Amino acid sequence: MNKTALITGATSGIGRATAFLFADNGIDLIICGRRNERLDKMQLALSEKVKVHSLCFDIRDKNAVRDKINTLSGTFNKIDILINNAGNAHGLDSIENGNIEDWDAMIDINVKGLLYISKAIIPKMITNGSGHIINIGSTAGKEVYPNGNVYCASKHAVDALNQGMRIDLNKYGIRVGAVNPGLVETEFSDVRFKGDTEKAENVYKGFQPLKPKDIADIIHFTVTRPYHVNIADMVVMPTAQASSTIVKKEL
Ligand code: NDP
Ligand code: 8X3
């Protein structure tokens, strides 16, 4: 029987690429996001290969998360793989100029949202006696860079939660690991810079950034290891990137 994966943030970037790669490899899917039109289109395309269910909700809304997950039935209720991917940066400001709404968004989505969905799925994995959780962290969860303050804090929290989940779920045989990307060209910078396309495009100019498929490949590799192998924590950067602030650019 096919495995089933639930992917948050499946409507764009890393989550979307992972959904398509999983479908190519026969993994049934529950795709999540807020943009229903995108979910509908993806469901149509992915259904040619695997069973697909879509769930439209804002991960900040804990009741919506719980209620949507409670609607799952049949094979979709046996979730083998959870990809905790939904997240974004909002703004890039020195701490004294930071916008409180941006701070709320990053903490609410990247940290609390990840917790809400995990809280809804983990009991199912415990009942099933197996499961694999991949938390999408960031290099921003491994180091702090100028003006990254709250985004970095949210991803450091993901790093801590990845370790905490692995420790606490060890007794259930549930695998937990993180993939921590560096610069990946997605809608990430459009969101961070609130639609300022010039600023967003500049982030990826002068070097070859990672593509969403590069990270999807690594996620797929991680979830296809034999059961006794758990990739606990992985940092993946473009070759041109050495750290959050050191990127070899040719402009
Ligand atoms: P994208 O902006 O392309 O995708 C973000 C996804 O998250 C979208 O599918 C979006 O769906 C979903 N999402 C955002 N907010 C919410 C919300 N409130 N409720 C539900 N879903 C939400 O970015 P990436 O693919 O780059 O980002 C994916 C993950 O990778 C994030 O956790 C990000 O922090 C991390 N990351 C990204 C890096 C990069 O350089 N791009 C590097 C390191 C980590 P929708 O809008 O439809 O709700
Ligand atoms: C995204 C990578 O360097 O923009 O997590 O923070 S970075």
Side-chain angles (χ1 to χ4, degrees):
M1 203 173 70
N2 284 0
K3 286 195 169 178
T4 300
L6 185 145
I7 304 176
T8 66
T11 55
S12 171
I14 294 168
R16 186 174 197 280
T18 304
F20 278 94
L21 187 63
F22 277 13
D24 285 343
N25 288 279
I27 299 174
D28 292 331
L29 291 165
I30 302 160
I31 50 173
C32 309
R34 289 166 302 177
R35 286 170 284 184
N36 210 14
E37 206 178 300
R38 288 196 185 191
L39 288 172
D40 285 348
K41 276 194 188 149
M42 283 180 71
Q43 181 159 7
L44 203 62
L46 293 163
S47 298
E48 289 176 11
K49 296 185 173 161
V50 289
K51 282 194 262 174
V52 186
H53 189 82
S54 69
L55 293 177
C56 186
F57 59 85
D58 187 326
I59 207 162
R60 286 173 289 195
D61 181 344
K62 55 176 172 285
N63 295 328
V65 173
R66 185 201 53 215
D67 293 347
K68 290 287 179 179
I69 297 302
N70 279 343
T71 64
L72 295 172
S73 62
T75 56
F76 289 118
N77 201 26
K78 187 185 172 299
I79 295 164
D80 302 289
I81 300 163
L82 166 62
I83 310 294
N84 271 331
N85 166 73
N88 266 134
H90 294 258
L92 184 67
D93 301 297
S94 189
I95 194 80
E96 72 281 13
N97 300 323
N99 174 313
I100 288 184
E101 280 75 40
D102 286 345
W103 294 352
D104 283 344
M106 290 184 278
I107 301 292
D108 289 350
I109 299 167
N110 302 356
V111 184
K112 291 166 72 182
L114 181 146
L115 283 170
Y116 298 156
I117 195 88
S118 302
K119 175 83 177 157
I121 307 291
I122 287 168
K124 296 181 190 299
M125 291 182 164
I126 293 173
T127 304
N128 296 335
S130 71
H132 197 162
I133 301 172
I134 306 292
N135 295 306
I136 305 302
S138 170
T139 45
K142 301 292 184 183
E143 58 177 355
V144 178
Y145 54 84
N147 305 327
N149 45 67
V150 178
Y151 178 66
C152 294
S154 76
K155 288 298 181 176
H156 275 69
V158 173
D159 190 38
L161 289 171
N162 182 56
Q163 297 176 54
M165 283 185 194
R166 191 166 53 251
I167 292 164
D168 294 346
L169 301 180
N170 171 271
K171 56 184 171 290
Y172 302 109
I174 294 172
R175 287 189 278 180
V176 180
V179 177
N180 301 282
L183 292 155
V184 192
E185 192 169 11
T186 63
E187 293 176 13
F188 178 87
S189 291
D190 293 315
V191 175
R192 167 168 259 174
F193 297 117
K194 304 168 203 282
D196 184 332
T197 17
E198 202 182 327
K199 266 192 184 171
E201 281 168 11
N202 272 339
V203 174
Y204 309 109
K205 267 199 187 138
F207 73 106
Q208 192 171 342
L210 295 172
K211 302 287 179 207
K213 168 78 163 52
D214 296 319
I215 300 301
D217 280 337
I218 285 158
I219 295 171
H220 182 249
F221 176 81
T222 303
V223 302
T224 49
R225 292 313 85 209
Y227 177 68
H228 69 285
V229 179
N230 181 39
I231 296 177
D233 202 24
M234 215 192 267
V235 177
V236 188
M237 289 186 266
T239 302
Q241 183 177 18
S243 73
S244 293
T245 50
I246 301 173
V247 182
K248 185 172 178 289
K249 290 196 175 195
E250 278 153 31
L251 292 168

